[in-house]
C-alpha cells in the first residue's frame, strides 16, 4: 500500500455522501427495478397521499432512532370485568367505555412516574426537554393509511371523555377530515391492534417522541398463582423506546409499572 493509495482512499471517503448526523451512509446496492408482469398478471395502484407522507417519516424514524422493544403482559382480568360492568351505564350517556380509554389513562400514570418517557431530545441532541403536559397520540387505521391524532391533556380528562373523544376523532380521521393541529404536540403514542388480533410487535417511535406502546389482543391464559393455574385475561404490551434517552432498566420499570396499573386500576386514581 503506497502513500498515494492512502491519499486516494481518504479523498474518495471524504467525497462520499454522508448519512444524517455526519455518520457514514449505508452504501447499500440499489434495488434493481423488476418487471413483475414478466412473472404473471399485475395491477398498479398509486400510494395514497397519507401513505407517501407517513412512509418517509416512518423510514426516517426507523433508521435514525436506536429502537429497543421491551415486551410484557398485563393481567387485565379485573379491568375487563369492570369495563363490562360499566358498559350499560356508559351506553346511557351515549359512550362506549373502551379498553383504549383505560390504556390512555394508564400511560399518563406511567409517564408521571417516569418523566424521561414524556420528553424529547433537543434539536442539537445535547439535552432532554421534559414536558409538563400529557398529550397522547393514538394510531388510527384509515382507508387512506395510518394517522396518529393526539388526545390533548389526557391527565385532565375522565375515562369516558377520552373514550368519547377517541371515537369522534377516529371517525373524523376515517372520513378524511384531518387538520394538521390534530396530529401535533404528542408526547407518547399508543398503537392498538388488539381489536384485530396478534400478540407482540415492534411499533416504530413517532419522533420527536421517545417511546410508543403497541397493544395486542388480550387472551385467556392459565397463569400460576403460587398454588394453581388460574384463567387470567392477559394483554400483550410492546414498548419501543429510544435507547439514546431511555436505558433498558428504565424501559423494564416503565412497562412493569404500566402493567401493574392495568392489573389494578385503583392505581389510576393514586
Ligand atoms: N384485546 C382484545 N380485545 C380488544 C382489544 C384488546 N387489546 N382492544 C379492543 N378489543 C375489542 C374490544 O373489546 C371491542 O369489542 P366489543 O365491541 O365486543 O367491546 C373491539 O375489539 C373493538 O374495540 P374498540 O371499538 O374499542 O376499538 P379499538 O380500541 O380496538 O380501536 C382504534 C380503536 C381507533 C385504535 C382502531 O379502530 C384502529 O384504527 N386500530 C388500528 C391502529 C393501527 O393500525 N395501528 C398500527 C400502527 S403501525 O402500522
Amino acid at each position: 500500500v503506497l502513500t498515494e493509495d492512502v491519499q486516494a482512499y481518504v479523498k474518495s471517503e471524504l467525497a462520499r455522501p454522508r448519512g444524517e448526523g455526519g455518520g457514514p451512509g449505508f452504501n447499500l446496492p440499489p434495488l434493481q427495478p423488476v418487471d413483475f408482469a414478466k412473472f404473471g398478471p399485475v395491477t398498479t395502484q398509486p400510494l395514497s397521499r397519507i401513505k407517501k407522507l407517513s412512509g418517509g417519516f416512518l423510514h426516517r424514524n426507523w433508521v435514525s432512532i436506536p429502537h429497543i422493544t421491551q415486551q410484557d403482559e398485563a393481567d387485565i382480568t379485573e379491568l375487563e370485568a369492570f369495563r363490562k360492568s360499566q358498559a350499560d351505564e356508559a351506553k346511557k350517556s351515549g359512550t362506549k367505555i373502551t379498553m383504549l380509554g383505560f390504556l390512555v389513562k394508564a400511560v399518563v400514570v406511567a409517564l408521571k412516574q417516569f418523566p424521561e418517557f414524556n420528553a424529547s431530545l433537543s434539536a442539537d441532541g445535547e439535552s432532554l426537554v421534559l414536558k409538563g403536559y400529557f398529550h397522547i397520540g393514538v394510531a388510527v387505521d384509515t382507508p387512506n393509511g395510518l394517522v396518529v391524532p393526539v388526545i390533548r391533556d389526557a391527565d385532565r380528562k375522565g375515562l369516558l371523555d377520552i373514550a368519547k373523544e377517541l371515537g369522534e376523532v377516529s371517525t373524523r380521521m376515517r372520513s378524511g377530515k384531518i387538520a394538521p393541529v390534530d396530529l401535533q404536540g404528542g408526547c407518547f403514542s399508543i398503537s392498538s391492534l388488539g381489536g384485530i388480533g396478534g400478540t407482540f410487535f415492534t411499533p416504530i417511535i413517532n419522533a420527536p417522541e421517545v417511546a410508543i406502546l403497541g397493544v395486542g389482543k388480550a387472551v385467556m391464559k392459565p397463569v400460576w398463582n403460587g398454588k394453581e393455574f388460574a384463567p387470567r385475561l392477559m394483554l400483550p404490551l410492546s414498548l419501543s423506546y429510544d435507547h439514546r434517552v431511555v436505558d433498558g432498566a428504565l424501559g423494564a420499570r416503565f412497562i412493569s409499572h404500566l402493567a401493574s396499573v392495568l392489573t389494578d386500576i385503583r392505581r389510576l386514581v393514586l
Side-chain angles (χ1 to χ4, degrees):
V1 176
L2 304 173
T3 311
E4 299 87 87
D5 295 325
V6 175
Q7 283 167 343
Y9 174 75
V10 169
K11 215 170 160 187
S12 73
E13 276 300 296
L14 289 175
R16 207 152 58 83
R18 302 279 130 177
E20 210 185 326
F26 286 107
N27 200 19
L28 299 171
L31 202 59
Q32 297 302 325
V34 176
D35 178 10
F36 298 104
K38 264 195 344 203
F39 307 106
V42 293
T43 50
T44 303
Q45 272 180 0
L47 288 181
S48 69
R49 207 178 127 260
I50 294 182
K51 271 234 159 89
K52 279 198 232 165
L53 269 174
S54 62
F57 292 134
L58 287 166
H59 189 187
R60 177 199 62 196
N61 297 347
W62 184 242
V63 298
S64 65
I65 302 174
H67 281 67
I68 302 274
T69 304
Q70 164 82 55
Q71 286 131 354
D72 203 351
E73 286 178 310
D75 180 341
I76 57 159
T77 318
E78 312 298 337
L79 185 160
E80 190 58 5
F82 176 71
R83 194 177 78 86
K84 285 205 171 123
S85 74
Q86 297 300 307
D88 289 343
E89 202 59 37
K91 218 184 250 172
K92 273 187 217 153
S93 65
T95 320
K96 187 176 167 194
I97 180 163
T98 61
M99 175 93 78
L100 211 46
F102 285 97
L103 285 162
V104 169
K105 289 306 278 182
V107 159
V108 168
V109 171
L111 290 178
K112 283 186 176 166
Q113 181 83 14
F114 300 97
E116 291 90 339
F117 280 81
N118 191 11
S120 287
L121 278 171
S122 61
D124 61 7
E126 296 284 327
S127 38
L128 201 56
V129 181
L130 297 154
K131 296 163 197 172
Y133 50 89
F134 298 85
H135 303 339
I136 310 297
V138 176
V140 175
D141 181 33
T142 79
N144 291 320
L146 178 72
V147 286
V148 189
V150 173
I151 304 292
R152 273 165 218 286
D153 299 311
D155 57 320
R156 293 197 238 144
K157 291 177 180 160
L159 196 87
L160 284 178
D161 293 329
I162 290 176
K164 195 164 172 223
E165 191 174 332
L166 270 168
E168 286 164 0
V169 89
S170 54
T171 308
R172 201 149 49 77
M173 297 293 122
R174 285 183 176 131
S175 60
K177 293 186 193 118
I178 307 167
V181 69
D182 289 328
L183 314 176
Q184 290 165 358
C187 303
F188 181 102
S189 294
I190 301 176
S191 173
S192 173
L193 295 172
I196 304 168
T199 54
F200 302 102
F201 59 103
T202 316
I204 299 179
I205 297 165
N206 190 13
E209 298 165 18
V210 296
I212 179 167
L213 180 73
V215 183
K217 186 177 175 66
V219 288
M220 273 292 176
K221 284 189 175 179
V223 176
W224 186 251
N225 64 13
K227 286 193 215 116
E228 60 195 354
F229 282 105
R232 307 296 297 178
L233 187 63
M234 304 302 288
L235 180 72
L237 302 174
S238 305
L239 175 77
S240 291
Y241 57 85
D242 183 338
H243 207 350
R244 293 171 301 179
V245 176
V246 174
D247 290 334
L250 196 61
R253 285 191 191 107
F254 182 93
I255 199 167
S256 303
H257 187 68
L258 181 67
S260 72
V261 173
L262 291 167
T263 297
D264 184 352
I265 50 170
R266 289 173 305 179
R267 285 166 170 253
L268 285 176
V269 291
L270 283 181

